[in-house]
Amino acid sequence: MPPSGTAECPRCRATLLRRRENGIERTLALTIAGLTIFAVANAYPFLAIEAQGQRTQSTLLSGSLGLIRGGQSAVGLLVLVTTVVAPLVQLSLLLYVLAPLHRGRTPRAIVAALRWLKRAQKWSMMEVYLIGILVSLVKLMDMASIVPGVALWAFVLLIPLLAAASSSLDLDEVWARVEVKK
């Protein structure tokens, strides 16, 4: 199907497939933006809690490590995998596949990379973590002063960026570009 083409069912006229132009480049741009926002979300404080004259700041990583040190190893590891490891793997694999394709090359292990990408997408659950944080914040607001950090806003922005990058990835276009190179 040509770029910007649409396949419709001849019987009911439902759209079966719609190809957009520059799908690889669009997904690559979203991926690079996602990696940048991911770095901000992990480098700066997520939130600060002020209670009884003491201020405690936490990052995504320190939150999951605190759970592990506090005896909640399974929960801490799950938070670490779903909010840090899986999104980083997902964004890295997208970059690994799309950057060479954009330059007219084929990545070496593209099949394995796309399989791992599919697995990482299943484990990336940042929105669930964000909902948990928001519920906790509402409950803690009466007991302490909560100050959202830069990382929280970056995290909120990262969720739709990652979703947009995943949904804009057109595997048919990826394979078409790989076949052209052979």
Side-chain angles (χ1 to χ4, degrees), residues 2-182:
S4 299
T6 302
E8 291 182 349
C9 174
R11 198 161 156 212
C12 68
R13 299 283 182 227
T15 301
L16 301 173
L17 180 67
R18 178 173 288 133
R19 301 254 335 247
R20 295 183 224 157
E21 280 190 76
N22 302 324
I24 300 289
E25 288 72 20
R26 180 183 310 106
T27 308
L28 181 60
L30 290 167
T31 300
I32 292 169
L35 280 166
T36 304
I37 297 296
F38 182 84
V40 171
N42 284 284
Y44 291 97
F46 197 75
L47 55 88
I49 300 174
E50 293 177 1
Q52 298 174 352
Q54 293 184 339
R55 182 181 175 115
T56 306
Q57 290 184 337
S58 67
T59 62
L60 283 173
L61 194 58
S62 71
S64 52
L65 293 177
L67 285 168
I68 292 169
R69 282 189 216 115
Q72 299 286 331
S73 299
V75 175
L77 285 172
L78 190 61
V79 168
L80 182 68
V81 167
T82 58
T83 61
V84 178
V85 176
L88 179 60
V89 168
Q90 185 178 356
L91 288 165
S92 299
L93 287 171
L94 280 169
L95 186 66
Y96 174 78
V97 169
L98 299 174
L101 287 174
H102 173 68
R103 292 188 311 250
R105 299 186 183 130
T106 301
R108 289 185 189 199
I110 189 168
V111 174
L114 290 173
R115 283 185 185 144
W116 278 103
L117 177 63
K118 191 98 169 147
R119 289 181 184 134
Q121 286 173 336
K122 291 178 185 176
W123 281 96
S124 180
M125 298 182 214
M126 297 181 307
E127 59 280 350
V128 175
Y129 182 72
L130 184 63
I131 290 170
I133 291 292
L134 293 175
V135 168
S136 300
L137 290 177
V138 168
K139 290 186 175 201
L140 287 173
M141 285 188 150
D142 293 337
M143 294 183 271
S145 176
I146 309 294
V147 180
V150 172
L152 177 64
W153 303 114
F155 195 76
V156 168
L157 184 61
L158 181 60
I159 292 170
L161 262 175
L162 197 55
S166 294
S167 68
S168 71
L169 178 64
D170 184 0
L171 290 176
D172 291 333
E173 185 178 354
V174 169
W175 292 120
R177 288 202 190 183
V178 168
E179 288 175 4
V180 167
K181 307 302 175 259
K182 289 184 177 182

